[in-house]
Amino acid sequence: EVQLVESGGGLVQPGRSLKLSCAASGFTFSNYGMHWIRQAPTKGLEWVASISPSGGSTYYRDSVKGRFTISRDNAKSTLYLQMDSLRSEDTATYYCATGAYFDYWGQGVMVTVSS
Amino acid sequence: DIQMTQSPASLSASLGETISIECRASEDIYSNLAWYQQKSGKSPQLLIYAANRLQDGVPSRFSGSGSGTQYSLKISGMQPEDEGDYFCLQGSKFPYTFGAGTKLELK
């Protein structure tokens, strides 16, 4: 059974950093692209970043480019999202997902950026 | 960026009714379109991928169709467990973009 478990969320002040993790199990992690998607409270879904199976290619939405870094450790079957220079508009539930069509999602982790 | 225009924003359906939700892309997305269901407080679940392919385990009353810029999700026979929010996603070009969502309720 595919499982994705996010961790690392919380309350952080504007301008500070946070690192999210997504522990994967139930599939061969190193064979699949991985993604981060977020959802602000009572809002729709917004794609944030993607990474290729090897980690050699990464993609970001413009609003996080230069502030967020997606990475992966295939030996640990874990996906990461390093979030720097956080802004209030980054407040959201962050989901990791796998597969070309976001086939499977984690339960999500809440990130609140507020002073 | 490719804009995904989803309609309607909300829908109320009776038990057994057939409903459709539409997504229109601002350019051709070559059937790189997926549909998701999200129930309250839960993470989204993939229903349809590649415009018309049913994800494993999804009831056959769900179906997808379309090509080019116009796509639709059909539920043939509304069930109580189908209540929730529905989103489309274009996976043709980065940045991937979602439709704004459709809230489906049982009348």
Side-chain angles (χ1 to χ4, degrees), chain A residues 8-109:
Chain A
L11 173 64
V12 61
Q13 293 179 326
R16 303 299 289 265
S17 299
L18 208 57
K19 186 171 185 176
L20 305 182
S21 299
C22 170
S25 61
F27 65 104
T28 305
F29 182 75
S30 58
N31 286 353
Y32 291 88
M34 296 294 296
H35 319 275
W36 288 100
I37 301 106
R38 68 186 179 185
Q39 187 170 33
T42 70
K43 299 292 187 184
L45 297 163
E46 186 174 79
W47 169 80
V48 175
S50 296
I51 188 167
S52 63
S54 68
S57 296
T58 56
Y59 310 88
Y60 301 92
R61 68 180 303 103
D62 282 350
S63 61
V64 308
K65 214 172 284 186
R67 299 188 300 123
F68 289 13
T69 303
I70 188 172
S71 63
R72 63 192 297 160
D73 185 335
N74 285 345
K76 295 182 177 179
S77 296
T78 302
L79 174 72
Y80 303 101
L81 186 67
Q82 175 68 43
M83 305 186 292
D84 298 324
S85 303
L86 281 161
R87 306 168 180 168
S88 58
E89 54 264 36
D90 296 319
T91 293
T93 296
Y94 285 72
Y95 297 99
C96 64
T98 184
Y101 282 102
F102 304 171
D103 305 40
Y104 298 96
W105 298 56
Q107 85 287 352
V109 63

Side-chain angles (χ1 to χ4, degrees), chain B residues 46-84:
Chain B
L46 178 65
L47 300 173
I48 301 287
Y49 64 97
N52 59 16
R53 312 289 281 273
L54 191 67
Q55 173 72 341
D56 289 347
V58 175
S60 58
R61 64 179 178 274
F62 291 91
S63 63
S65 64
S67 62
T69 62
Q70 301 271 17
Y71 299 86
S72 63
L73 171 72
K74 185 164 77 172
I75 305 175
S76 300
M78 173 76 181
Q79 298 299 307
E81 60 267 31
D82 297 338
E83 281 195 317

Side-chain angles (χ1 to χ4, degrees), chain B residues 26-38:
Chain B
S26 58
E27 63 184 79
D28 194 328
I29 58 172
Y30 306 99
S31 297
N32 290 300
L33 189 284
W35 291 97
Y36 303 86
Q37 176 194 64
Q38 184 177 31

